[in-house]
Amino acid sequence: MEEQNTCTHDCSTCGADCASRGESEIQKEPLNPASSVRHVIGVVSGKGGVGKSMVTSMLATEMRRRSWGVAVLDADITGPSVPKAFGVSGGVEVSGETMLPAYTKTGIQLMSVNLLLEDASSPVVWRGPVIAGAVKQFWTDVIWTDVDYMFVDMPPGTGDVPLTVFQSLPLDGIIIVTTPQELVSMIVEKAVNMAKLMNIPILGMVENMSYAICPDCGKEIPLFGASCAEEVAKEYGIPLLAKIPLDGKLTALVDKGVIELMENEYITPAADAVEGL
Ligand code: ADP
């Protein structure tokens, strides 16, 4: 009772760990009034290089093929992965306080820090809060048109930037991307705990580089030994949405910037899960 009487609702001047602190700190950023975004799905991973951008790009491609309005908000500035996969290097229009996203060949709307840099190969040496601010601006200042599914390529890990993204965007669910090697560590557990803490549903887990395909005979080779993806998914009570092999064709498509030409069905069950939201 005492707490309610004295609460000024200004948590910056009060150290009490009360219920209103939780509410005020998890303030979602407002979407630009001119935008329309129906579902927001975060794609997360424990560390870089596991194929999070690959999975984001494949999911966006598949959902676009199903005729949905699709967007990718690239919040992972560690490299120009998503724009590169789509062969997009510019096309963002800035007008006053607002921005229009770039469009891929099949019409996926795309926004990324890397599209705003003059030289995409130069490292982004911004500190966490600046990166988090840029990501929030992509939500508040970009005009997203008729988006049914927005995929947010989250920065890897469970540090400050992913935490801010988790807190400021109204995520409907997250997909955890991992590799067989990572599964044996605590990385998945950390991502699961973070999502639970933020009260965001986990749509499921995608195991990338599960196995390799022999280019000669097509045989599946378990590069990292037998996968334990099923057991891990069961342990945390989350669905295993897909097992994607290490496939040279995928690397080639990304290198040429034509991921939208992919001819496999690896991501189909994950896209079904997103569609079922
Ligand atoms: P992350 O976003 O997790 O840092 P990326 O998606 O950028 O990782 O993937 C890292 C590299 O591995 C990229 O060059 C990408 O093209 C390649 N790659 C990722 N997944 C696969 C796969 N299943 N088969 C072949 N190459 C892959």
Side-chain angles (χ1 to χ4, degrees), residues 48-54 81 208-209 244-247 250-251 254:
V50 301
K52 178 173 47 60
S53 303
M54 174 73 91
S81 314
N208 190 28
M209 308 186 194
I244 303 177
L246 192 65
D247 181 346
L250 284 175
T251 330
V254 167

Side-chain angles (χ1 to χ4, degrees), residues 15 38 40 48 83 113 123 128 168 171 176 192 198 220 264:
R38 288 174 197 94
V40 186
V113 164
S168 29
L171 295 171
I176 301 172
V192 170
M198 301 285 146
E220 294 183 6
N264 59 68

Side-chain angles (χ1 to χ4, degrees), residues 27-67:
Q27 279 277 329
K28 301 290 176 206
E29 291 289 321
L31 181 65
N32 189 291
S35 290
S36 159
V37 179
R38 288 174 197 94
H39 296 290
V40 186
I41 299 103
V43 186
V44 309
S45 71
K47 62 180 174 104
V50 301
K52 178 173 47 60
S53 303
M54 174 73 91
V55 169
T56 307
S57 307
M58 289 170 79
L59 267 173
T61 297
E62 175 62 22
M63 294 306 279
R64 185 69 196 128
R65 282 183 187 171
R66 297 182 185 191
S67 302

Side-chain angles (χ1 to χ4, degrees), residues 19 26 31 56 76 114-115 158 162 202 207 230 240 255 262 274:
I26 308 182
L31 181 65
T56 307
D76 181 3
N114 290 291
L115 294 176
T158 46
I202 300 168
E207 189 190 50
E230 278 86 2
L240 177 60
D255 287 346
M262 70 178 189
V274 168

Side-chain angles (χ1 to χ4, degrees), residues 194-272:
M194 183 149 127
K196 278 190 185 152
L197 207 69
M198 301 285 146
N199 234 336
I200 297 167
I202 300 168
L203 292 180
M205 194 173 95
V206 171
E207 189 190 50
N208 190 28
M209 308 186 194
S210 285
Y211 53 95
I213 298 177
C214 171
D216 294 327
C217 65
K219 193 176 165 212
E220 294 183 6
I221 308 160
L223 284 178
F224 307 104
S227 158
C228 55
E230 278 86 2
E231 291 100 279
V232 173
K234 207 168 151 201
E235 187 184 336
Y236 296 111
I238 53 179
L240 177 60
L241 299 177
K243 287 172 94 167
I244 303 177
L246 192 65
D247 181 346
K249 284 190 200 139
L250 284 175
T251 330
L253 290 174
V254 167
D255 287 346
K256 289 187 197 137
V258 291
I259 191 66
E260 287 159 296
L261 297 180
M262 70 178 189
E263 281 173 353
N264 59 68
E265 291 178 356
Y266 304 141
I267 208 72
T268 307
D272 292 343

